[in-house]
Amino acid sequence: MTSPLTRPLTRAERIAALHAAAKERILVLDGSWGVMIQRLGLSEADFRADRFVAANGYDESHQMKGNNDILCITRPDIISDLHDQYYAAGADISETNTFSGTTIAQEDYALDAQAVWDINLEGARLARAAADRWTEKEPHKPRFAAGSIGPLNKMLSMSSDVNDPGARSVTFDQVYEAYRHQVKALNEGGVDLYLIETITDTLNCKAAIKAIKDLEDEGMDALPIWISGTITDRSGRTLSGQTAEAFWNSVRHAKPFAVGFNCALGADLMRPFIAELSRVADTLVAAYPNAGLPNAMGQYDEEPHETAHFIEEWAASGLVNIVGGCCGTTPDHIRHVAEEVAPLKPRAIPERPVALRLSGLEPFEMVA
C-alpha cells in the first residue's frame, strides 16, 4: 500500500487528520487577504487579464479592480503565493480567496454565474494544491483548505428601505441558491471544510447551512462546517441584533465543527464575547480578530506581537481551539500568534445539560 507520506491524503484522511489535530493543539488560521492584496498595487489589467474584457463579452465600464476574488482566475500566482506565505508563517488552515464568491455579491461586477463558479472552483484548487504541498513537506503538521463563504452584501433580516420595514432586496430562496452554487464549486475544488464567516445576519447564515445540508442529502461529500459570526460593536450583538449565546442557539442545529467570531473588533474588545461563546458552545470555539480598530485613515496599527499577546491570553485562559487573524493581520501577525499558542492546550469542550434552548435576539434556556 502506498504510504500517506508519499501521496496526497484522501479527503476522508484529511478530515480525520483535521479532527485529530484539533484534539492535540490549538489550530491556527491564516490572516487577512485584503491587506496583502492591496499592498501589491495591482492594476485593472491584473484583475481582468485576457478573460474579463469586452472582446469576451464583459462590460468594461464596470471597474473590476478591487474584486479580489477574481484573482483566483486572473492572477493565480498571487493567490498561491499568499497561501504559501501563511502556511510558512505557521497556519494550519488557509482560506480560499472566495469571500465574495456568490452570484449575488458578484452582481456588483456584472459577472455571470459561470465566472462565479470558476472563481470558487479555481480558488479551491489553489488552496488544495498549496495545502498538499505543505503537508508533503511537513507531514507532521498537515495543512487544510477552508472554503470561504462570506456574508453577502444584502441581508434577509433587515430592511433595504428605511421607509419600509418589510422591504428586502433579496429573498431567502435567492440567497439559498447563491450559496448552493458556491458550495458545490468549493466542494468540487477540494476544500476540507466550509467556513461561513463574518456573519452579520443569522438568516443569511441559515440559508448557507441549508444549502450545504441539502447538497449532502443529495450525495455531495459531507465536510465539517465552521460558523463565524461578527459582533459589530461593544453592545455585544450581531448586526441583526443577536447576543453571542442567541447566535449559538440559532446555528447549533448544524452541529458545526467549530463556532466563533471574527472581524469588526480587535482582540481586546472581542474577548468577552469569545468567553461567552466558550461557556455555552459544546463544540470547538474559534476566533480571529482584526489587528485592533482602524485608525482615522482606515489602517490597522496593531503590531504582530500585540495581537499575539491578546490571543495568547485567550488560549492560556482556556477559551479557544482555533485562532487566526482578520482585517489588518499579515503573515507576521500569524507567525507571532502561532508561536505564542504552540505550547498551550486547546480549550476543553464542555458537557452541557440537556435543555430546551431557543433564540430570538436573546437566548432562552429551560433545563429538563
Side-chain angles (χ1 to χ4, degrees), residues 9-300:
L9 300 177
T10 66
R11 176 172 266 172
E13 288 171 337
R14 296 196 305 267
I15 293 173
L18 175 64
H19 285 285
K23 291 179 181 178
E24 296 169 359
R25 64 183 187 273
I26 296 173
L27 299 180
V28 178
L29 178 69
D30 60 15
S32 170
W33 282 69
V35 69
M36 299 300 291
I37 290 172
Q38 289 167 13
R39 289 180 176 182
L40 298 174
L42 301 178
S43 67
E44 180 74 7
D46 287 305
F47 286 87
R48 287 191 176 278
D50 295 330
R51 174 169 174 177
F52 299 100
V53 294
N56 291 332
Y58 287 94
D59 184 356
E60 293 193 42
S61 67
H62 286 77
Q63 179 175 293
M64 197 67 72
K65 186 175 179 180
N67 184 11
N68 292 344
D69 294 30
I70 206 74
L71 297 173
C72 294
I73 301 172
T74 60
R75 289 297 305 270
D77 57 315
I78 289 173
I79 304 308
S80 292
D81 179 64
L82 286 174
H83 283 303
D84 284 340
Q85 287 189 49
Y86 279 120
Y87 284 136
D92 298 281
I93 305 168
S94 187
E95 298 183 55
T96 57
N97 182 47
T98 57
F99 183 82
S100 299
T102 58
T103 50
I104 290 174
Q106 290 296 324
E107 286 174 356
D108 288 351
Y109 299 96
L111 290 188
D112 57 23
Q114 184 60 54
V116 177
W117 175 272
D118 291 346
I119 286 171
N120 288 283
L121 184 66
E122 294 307 315
R125 286 174 172 170
L126 293 169
R128 169 82 278 122
D132 288 346
R133 285 195 304 273
W134 280 89
T135 299
E136 182 179 7
K137 185 187 302 185
E138 300 177 350
H140 64 284
K141 183 181 170 68
R143 304 308 209 278
F144 308 98
S148 174
I149 301 172
L152 300 189
N153 49 357
K154 298 178 181 179
M155 298 176 65
L156 289 167
S157 295
M158 298 180 70
S159 173
S160 56
D161 181 352
V162 295
N163 297 311
D164 181 1
R168 298 293 186 273
S169 56
V170 285
T171 66
F172 185 91
D173 287 348
Q174 289 171 328
V175 172
Y176 166 85
E177 289 297 337
Y179 279 132
R180 183 182 171 97
H181 182 261
Q182 180 178 31
V183 167
K184 288 174 68 176
L186 290 172
N187 191 295
E188 184 175 321
V191 299
D192 302 309
L193 68 158
Y194 306 113
L195 175 45
I196 309 172
E197 62 176 327
T198 321
I199 299 161
T200 52
D201 185 342
T202 309
L203 192 53
N204 282 30
C205 175
K206 284 176 174 285
I209 292 170
K210 178 171 171 55
I212 292 168
K213 293 299 184 181
D214 284 354
L215 286 166
E216 289 175 358
D217 287 344
E218 295 166 19
M220 191 180 73
D221 286 354
L223 304 180
I225 302 173
W226 173 356
I227 298 172
S228 187
T230 296
I231 299 294
T232 52
D233 55 36
R234 299 189 193 204
S235 70
R237 295 177 182 269
T238 64
L239 191 59
S240 53
Q242 289 189 303
T243 64
E245 185 174 357
F247 173 72
W248 166 239
N249 286 355
S250 292
V251 300
R252 65 189 300 271
H253 68 282
K255 299 180 179 178
F257 165 72
V259 68
F261 293 123
N262 73 289
C263 206
L265 302 175
D268 56 340
L269 297 179
M270 188 182 285
R271 190 193 190 284
F273 314 121
I274 293 300
E276 178 67 4
L277 204 55
S278 179
R279 181 183 68 82
V280 299
D282 52 359
T283 190
L284 303 182
V285 165
Y288 48 114
N290 293 346
L293 295 178
N295 60 28
M297 302 300 293
Q299 304 297 313
Y300 292 87

